[in-house]
Amino acid sequence: MNSEDKNISLQFYDYLCNIVGSEEVVRTRREIFSGIEIVQKASSGTFISSGSKAEGLDLKGSDFDQIIYPNFIRVYEILNCVQSDPDKVPLVMETNDTKSGFTKLKLAIEFDYEFDMIQDWFETVGEEKYISSKRFREKDLPDDMVIHGLCQSTAGGDYDHAQCLWCKEWISSAQQWIHRSRTVWPDNTLVMSAVQYGVLFVPIGYKNSPNEDLEWRISFSVAEKLLVHSFSHTQLLCYALMKIILTDIIKPRHSDLLCSYFLKIIMFWLSEEINPSGWKPENMISCFLDCIRRLVYCVEYKTCLHYFISENNLFEDRFTDKDHKALLDTLRYVYGSPWTSVFHTDTFLNYKLQSINSHWMARSASELSCFSYIRMICNNRSMYSQLKSFGIGYNNIFRKDICAYMLSVCSIKSMQSSDFYNLADKNKSFYKQYKRLFGHINIRLQSDSITPWLLLSSLFYKCKRFRECLNMINYCLFTCTPDRINVDFAYSLAEQTVFKQMKKTLGLMHACKYLILENVFIDK
């Protein structure tokens, strides 16, 4: 490659970093969701962050999937491995009449009466009891959510909540992934790290199967997240660019013929074949064209082998002849005119438009919207429990400022719980609660200059201290200046740029304190 091609690749790499995010921004996004997993540790279930946002991407259509599996259910691959445990409901896989990549889950041993609450999930076939994927995914559906595939989702699709089941062991149908021949990536350490997480079973069967409502799809979500996190930034930008093409070009023309999961699988296979040293900024353009070329090849030959269970062709029976031809025409056009295609996507046009309208400020994506998920996910556990979680989490998060911010958010959740507003006369209990409240305020004031005072004003109102209440409200109104950024899950590039610059200058806590305008909810 000559020097001119390298320079163009480097310029394109920098341009993409502004749209997708720099290495630092991507790392921070990932650490935020790692922190959320730690905060949500519970005895009844294990929480796993998944989806594009947890992988470090925050593009149009990027989602956040929260996977939860109950700790009292354990899946085994074969009956002989089932261990007797009075605290666990044991299930065993049955794959003799299911498509590769799917299984039925059969009750291995009758469980104790304490688990009667899950009896409704089971369906009896002959003399065997199977757990129904349909009943499982539809259980406890909140009023404000809908069933979307295997998930319970918000109406806008920004947040997906998926219940699943877990097998501690790496199943035999995926054993070949561990030992198969590859160049350098993934190395043995990464492979072993992925294997130790076992596999998940998500509640959705093979479409049109006679046993669809009883079948479960075998999922490798944790392993996939680890693999994406191991990508070089050039690899991640290629992956992001493929997602942009899917969202802005392919989906408007061909609906859901292709999904982002197929792109991820194709990236994995390609990454096995290309030496990691080839994925570097000066090769950005050639790497991207390699990705498009591989996608065209896979669609042309209707072959997209599952990365972990390679006998499962994800494109099998996927396309009609008419759909296949139309999709192939679109992909060949993208490959033949890549820059016409890429720079005319909505994502690139919006970026260009915002840059022109605010030419005085450099535009760059930040991790700002990912912080909003902390506010949504953090719960009302005691501050002692939160501190304990964060103490454990330091080894996993590495970033002291993110830990401090999450603790600050958790403190406001505790302040908003009903405990602080069930205050009777000014007795010993009252003063104890009052003291606790000010402890929470001091923590929250590190990253929020308004919400703690509003909550305190509500307490003063209840205590009939109206003058102090009004003074605090007036102070908060004075502080709510137009240059503040309202909390949301989507921010303009201008807002992200301002946040990024202020964070770089003052640090995360002060950037949030003086720039972000929080929502306040006070229970009556």
Side-chain angles (χ1 to χ4, degrees), residues 28 30-39 371 374 378 383 385-412 443-444 446-447 508-509 512:
T28 303
R30 291 169 176 172
E31 288 171 344
I32 288 169
F33 291 107
S34 294
I36 288 173
E37 290 181 8
I38 293 166
V39 169
F371 283 102
I374 298 174
C378 281
M383 288 303 295
S385 298
Q386 303 289 2
L387 283 166
K388 193 174 180 181
S389 295
F390 285 118
I392 296 169
Y394 268 116
N395 293 330
N396 298 321
I397 297 181
F398 304 111
R399 288 276 298 277
K400 184 178 178 180
D401 57 346
I402 294 178
C403 285
Y405 178 77
M406 295 185 76
L407 185 60
S408 172
V409 173
C410 292
S411 73
I412 207 71
I443 293 173
R444 183 55 178 169
Q446 303 304 308
S447 67
L508 173 62
M509 301 293 274
C512 292

Side-chain angles (χ1 to χ4, degrees), residues 125-187:
V125 180
E127 297 181 356
E128 306 289 359
K129 270 182 152 181
Y130 297 88
I131 190 165
S132 166
S133 57
K134 182 178 187 295
R135 294 181 185 180
F136 185 85
R137 71 173 173 265
E138 293 177 356
K139 71 183 179 70
D140 303 327
L141 180 66
D143 292 337
D144 60 342
M145 300 185 82
V146 297
I147 297 295
H148 181 255
L150 59 92
C151 299
Q152 296 180 359
S153 307
T154 55
D158 296 320
Y159 169 65
D160 293 329
H161 167 98
Q163 300 259 17
C164 67
L165 300 176
W166 176 59
C167 176
K168 184 179 180 180
E169 293 76 31
W170 191 259
I171 60 175
S172 57
S173 60
Q175 284 292 324
Q176 50 80 30
W177 176 75
I178 300 175
H179 307 292
R180 73 170 172 240
S181 176
R182 46 176 68 96
T183 53
V184 179
W185 183 94
D187 62 28

Side-chain angles (χ1 to χ4, degrees), residues 101-331:
F102 292 82
T103 185
K104 290 188 288 188
L105 299 176
K106 181 173 63 175
L107 184 63
I109 304 171
E110 282 295 335
F111 52 85
D112 194 84
Y113 69 92
E114 291 181 10
F115 300 109
D116 281 350
M117 59 181 178
I118 69 172
Q119 287 281 10
D120 290 341
W121 304 348
F122 284 92
E123 210 170 288
T124 302
V125 180
E127 297 181 356
E128 306 289 359
K129 270 182 152 181
Y130 297 88
I131 190 165
S132 166
S133 57
K134 182 178 187 295
R135 294 181 185 180
F136 185 85
R137 71 173 173 265
E138 293 177 356
K139 71 183 179 70
D140 303 327
L141 180 66
D143 292 337
D144 60 342
M145 300 185 82
V146 297
I147 297 295
H148 181 255
L150 59 92
C151 299
Q152 296 180 359
S153 307
T154 55
D158 296 320
Y159 169 65
D160 293 329
H161 167 98
Q163 300 259 17
C164 67
L165 300 176
W166 176 59
C167 176
K168 184 179 180 180
E169 293 76 31
W170 191 259
I171 60 175
S172 57
S173 60
Q175 284 292 324
Q176 50 80 30
W177 176 75
I178 300 175
H179 307 292
R180 73 170 172 240
S181 176
R182 46 176 68 96
T183 53
V184 179
W185 183 94
D187 62 28
N188 189 60
T189 302
L190 182 55
V191 170
M192 290 301 104
S193 295
V195 167
Q196 72 175 356
Y197 285 98
V199 299
L200 301 173
F201 302 91
V202 293
I204 193 163
Y206 184 64
K207 193 173 181 181
N208 299 325
S209 164
N211 297 312
E212 183 176 350
D213 291 344
L214 289 183
E215 292 177 354
W216 296 67
R217 191 173 73 206
I218 302 169
S219 170
F220 300 84
S221 292
V222 178
E224 289 164 6
K225 185 169 71 170
L226 288 174
L227 292 173
V228 172
H229 284 192
S230 76
F231 280 177
S232 71
H233 201 57
T234 301
Q235 274 174 289
L236 190 74
L237 291 179
C238 285
Y239 179 38
L241 200 47
M242 296 277 278
K243 281 175 167 279
I244 290 170
I245 289 171
L246 174 69
T247 302
D248 292 353
I249 298 177
I250 297 173
K251 279 188 177 293
R253 301 181 189 181
H254 308 284
S255 188
D256 294 326
L257 272 185
L258 291 183
C259 67
S260 60
Y261 185 71
F262 299 153
L263 302 183
K264 184 192 299 185
I265 295 301
I266 289 170
M267 284 295 301
F268 287 161
W269 282 110
L270 195 58
S271 297
E272 277 204 0
E273 299 168 18
I274 297 177
N275 193 297
S277 62
W279 298 96
K280 50 189 179 182
E282 56 264 38
N283 295 338
M284 181 70 220
I285 291 175
S286 62
C287 288
F288 167 61
L289 292 177
D290 284 341
C291 295
I292 293 293
R293 187 184 302 114
R294 178 58 59 90
L295 177 59
V296 173
Y297 176 89
C298 289
V299 171
E300 182 175 3
Y301 292 98
K302 301 179 184 177
T303 302
C304 181
L305 302 183
H306 193 285
Y307 184 62
F308 299 96
I309 306 176
S310 55
E311 62 265 27
N312 180 12
N313 180 11
L314 300 173
F315 282 176
E316 183 180 339
D317 302 324
R318 183 78 186 177
F319 317 113
T320 66
D321 290 343
K322 181 180 179 182
D323 289 339
H324 179 250
K325 182 181 182 307
L327 176 60
L328 199 52
D329 287 345
T330 297
L331 293 176

Side-chain angles (χ1 to χ4, degrees), residues 8 93 137 323 333 366 390 402-403 452 461 495-496 506:
I8 294 173
M93 294 173 60
R137 71 173 173 265
D323 289 339
Y333 173 78
S366 76
F390 285 118
I402 294 178
C403 285
Y461 178 84
E495 291 171 328
Q496 292 189 59
L506 302 177

